[in-house]
């Protein structure tokens, strides 16, 4: 009887401690590789994420309580530590990482769990004249499945970052384009200027099979028409017999009709609008209660956001296109 009471007390204390602790510390795992003759010995960080105070959400304890991941010590200090371990504190050069995405999340299903990582970063080498050359880039969405995915997800996260640094240490930088420190802050805007979509107001009519086509403004799906001039009936395309057949939005990424762009989402087309340097639309998100917590805590996860929010309830949010891969990102409310 005493043993039962003792175990009960321990469980109560455990639950109380978990309830009180709202965050969990994140630290990179020790690198497995070493570079004997590295070119670089210092790394700095430019954090370009929309939310900078956390790295996402993990689930802890028997109740799978959500906890925000917080870098302790700071990400920049941890990156320097990773570089020191890989190089043995050798190397004269300096690296700069522009971090655009770093988000971890977990969801629990009926019989298994899924861990998610959405990560994007660009690595630059600093030249003697103060300019920067791009030396590496990673844009990845990783899904880990299992009964307990926390450790595996965090391990894959460290692996992605360590590999990015490791590869850069013996790699030649791209000398075709030089960036100033200020230009790196606006790196995304510079990249958008290289895409036809972001540099025109006369969008080409037609059906676009992919974001790549849409970004280049090269539709390959043929022209579209309206039936009886009624947009609410959807878009139509002539078949081989010359008869109008309704377009299935699932088969296309976007459509432009009479110069007006529409994006495909959840089996419907939605009007796409230009808002400063971004394309936005109000579209549906099917979400569960747990997914809503993830969204609020850490931002809809771009390329893997659809996996996270796929529940029975549909809500409508302002979303924007990710210029790099065409995925949808929920626009955060400006306070």
């Amino acid at each position: 009887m005493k043993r039962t009471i003792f175990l009960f007390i321990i469980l109560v204390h455990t639950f109380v401690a978990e309830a009180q602790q709202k965050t969990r510390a994140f630290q990179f795992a020790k690198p497995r590789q070493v570079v004997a003759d590295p070119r670089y010995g210092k790394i700095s960080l430019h954090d370009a994420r929309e939310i900078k105070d956390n790295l996402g959400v993990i689930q802890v304890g028997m109740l799978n309580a959500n906890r925000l991941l917080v870098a302790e010590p700071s990400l920049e200090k941890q990156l320097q530590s990773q570089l020191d371990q890989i190089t043995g504190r050798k190397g004269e050069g300096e690296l700069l990482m522009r971090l655009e995405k770093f988000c971890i999340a977990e969801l629990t299903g009926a019989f298994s769990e899924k861990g998610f990582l959405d990560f994007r970063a660009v690595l630059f080498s600093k030249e003697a004249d103060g300019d920067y050359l791009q030396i590496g880039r990673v844009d990845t969405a990783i899904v880990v499945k299992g009964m307990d995915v926390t450790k595996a997800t965090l391990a894959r996260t460290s692996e992605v970052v360590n590999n990015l640094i490791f590869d850069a240490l013996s790699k030649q930088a791209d000398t075709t384009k030089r960036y100033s420190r200020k230009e790196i802050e606006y790196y995304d805007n510079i990249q958008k200027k290289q895409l036809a979509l972001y540099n025109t107001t006369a969008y080409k009519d037609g059906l676009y099979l992919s974001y790549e086509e849409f970004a280049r403004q090269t539709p390959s799906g043929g022209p579209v028409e309206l039936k009886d001039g009624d947009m609410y009936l959807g878009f139509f395309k002539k078949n081989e017999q010359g008869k109008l057949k309704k377009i299935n939005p699932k088969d296309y990424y976007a459509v432009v009709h009479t110069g007006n762009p529409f994006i495909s989402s959840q089996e419907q087309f939605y009007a796409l609008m230009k808002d400063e340097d971004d394309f936005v639309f109000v579209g549906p998100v099917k979400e569960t209660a747990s997914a809503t917590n993830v969204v609020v805590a850490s931002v809809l996860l771009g390329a893997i956001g659809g996996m996270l929010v796929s529940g029975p309830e549909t809500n409508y949010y302002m979303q924007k296109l990710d210029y790099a891969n065409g995925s949808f990102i929920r626009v955060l409310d400006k306070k």
Side-chain angles (χ1 to χ4, degrees):
M1 183 66 178
K2 290 182 178 180
R3 179 179 177 81
T4 301
I5 295 174
F6 177 71
L7 291 174
F8 176 75
I9 292 174
I10 291 178
L11 285 173
V12 170
H13 279 291
T14 300
F15 288 139
V16 170
E18 288 180 354
Q20 292 176 340
Q21 189 173 1
K22 299 300 182 182
T23 64
R24 284 297 173 93
F26 171 86
Q27 292 185 347
F28 289 112
K30 184 177 180 180
R32 297 180 180 179
Q33 299 169 300
V34 175
V35 175
D37 189 21
R39 297 180 179 182
Y40 307 97
K42 183 180 179 181
I43 186 169
S44 302
L45 176 68
H46 173 70
D47 194 344
R49 296 175 298 152
E50 291 191 55
I51 291 182
K52 298 178 175 60
D53 61 357
N54 71 80
L55 306 177
V57 181
I58 61 170
Q59 297 178 340
V60 300
M62 289 181 285
L63 297 179
N64 282 329
N66 286 339
R67 295 292 179 263
L68 286 177
L69 272 177
V70 178
E72 295 179 2
S74 69
L75 277 178
E76 187 166 57
K77 289 182 179 179
Q78 289 196 48
L79 288 172
Q80 184 62 53
S81 176
Q82 298 301 99
L83 182 62
D84 289 345
Q85 293 177 73
I86 293 174
T87 64
R89 297 187 178 182
K90 301 175 183 177
E92 299 295 327
E94 182 176 340
L95 295 170
L96 172 64
M97 178 184 287
R98 174 186 161 89
L99 183 61
E100 297 184 349
K101 289 183 179 181
F102 192 149
C103 192
I104 295 169
E106 290 183 37
L107 285 182
T108 300
F111 303 102
S112 65
E113 295 181 352
K114 289 183 181 179
F116 302 88
L117 169 67
D118 201 11
F119 184 87
R120 182 192 297 156
V122 189
L123 212 54
F124 301 88
S125 66
K126 187 175 182 179
E127 301 301 292
D129 60 1
D131 282 348
Y132 292 83
L133 303 178
Q134 185 169 324
I135 196 171
R137 181 180 183 275
V138 62
D139 185 1
T140 186
I142 294 174
V143 182
V144 179
K145 299 179 181 179
M147 295 301 295
D148 185 359
V149 298
T150 302
K151 289 183 179 179
T153 304
L154 296 178
R156 290 294 301 276
T157 302
S158 293
E159 183 181 315
V160 167
V161 176
N162 289 337
N163 286 343
L164 176 62
I165 296 174
F166 180 83
D167 291 342
L169 292 175
S170 55
K171 188 177 179 181
Q172 292 287 347
D174 180 5
T175 59
T176 61
K177 178 69 175 76
R178 304 178 76 88
Y179 297 88
S180 67
R181 184 66 175 80
K182 193 69 175 178
E183 286 177 320
I184 290 177
E185 294 182 21
Y186 298 97
Y187 177 85
D188 52 346
N189 291 330
I190 293 174
Q191 302 309 306
K192 289 175 184 177
K193 289 180 180 178
Q194 300 177 27
L195 301 175
L197 175 65
Y198 287 85
N199 294 278
T200 183
T201 56
Y203 310 108
K204 291 184 180 180
D205 283 4
L207 286 162
Y208 296 81
L209 294 173
S210 66
Y211 172 69
E212 288 70 28
E213 286 189 1
F214 194 47
R216 294 193 304 264
Q217 283 293 281
T218 55
S220 66
V224 295
E225 299 179 24
L226 295 180
K227 196 171 185 178
D228 300 326
D230 190 346
M231 186 170 293
Y232 289 101
L233 294 177
F235 295 104
F236 291 77
K237 178 182 178 181
K238 286 183 179 179
N239 60 18
E240 295 179 354
Q241 290 74 38
K243 295 182 179 180
L244 289 179
K245 182 180 179 181
K246 188 173 182 179
I247 297 298
N248 188 341
K250 292 192 299 183
D251 296 334
Y252 300 94
Y253 179 82
V255 61
V256 176
H257 180 262
T258 61
N260 298 305
F262 299 83
I263 199 75
S264 175
S265 178
Q266 302 289 342
E267 303 183 14
Q268 294 288 337
F269 284 111
Y270 296 89
L272 195 63
M273 301 162 286
K274 190 75 176 291
D275 181 19
E276 296 182 350
D277 289 330
D278 284 311
F279 284 93
V280 300
F281 69 100
V282 176
V285 174
K286 293 182 179 180
E287 58 189 357
T288 63
S290 58
T292 302
N293 292 336
V294 171
V295 171
V296 171
S298 51
V299 186
L300 191 59
L301 299 185
I304 57 178
M307 301 179 195
L308 281 174
V309 285
S310 56
E313 183 177 352
T314 299
N315 291 307
Y316 287 79
Y317 298 104
M318 182 73 74
Q319 300 170 59
K320 68 179 180 180
L321 301 191
D322 185 330
Y323 78 92
N325 55 35
S327 61
F328 307 152
I329 303 175
R330 180 178 166 185
V331 177
L332 299 178
D333 295 331
K334 296 179 181 181
K335 297 181 179 180

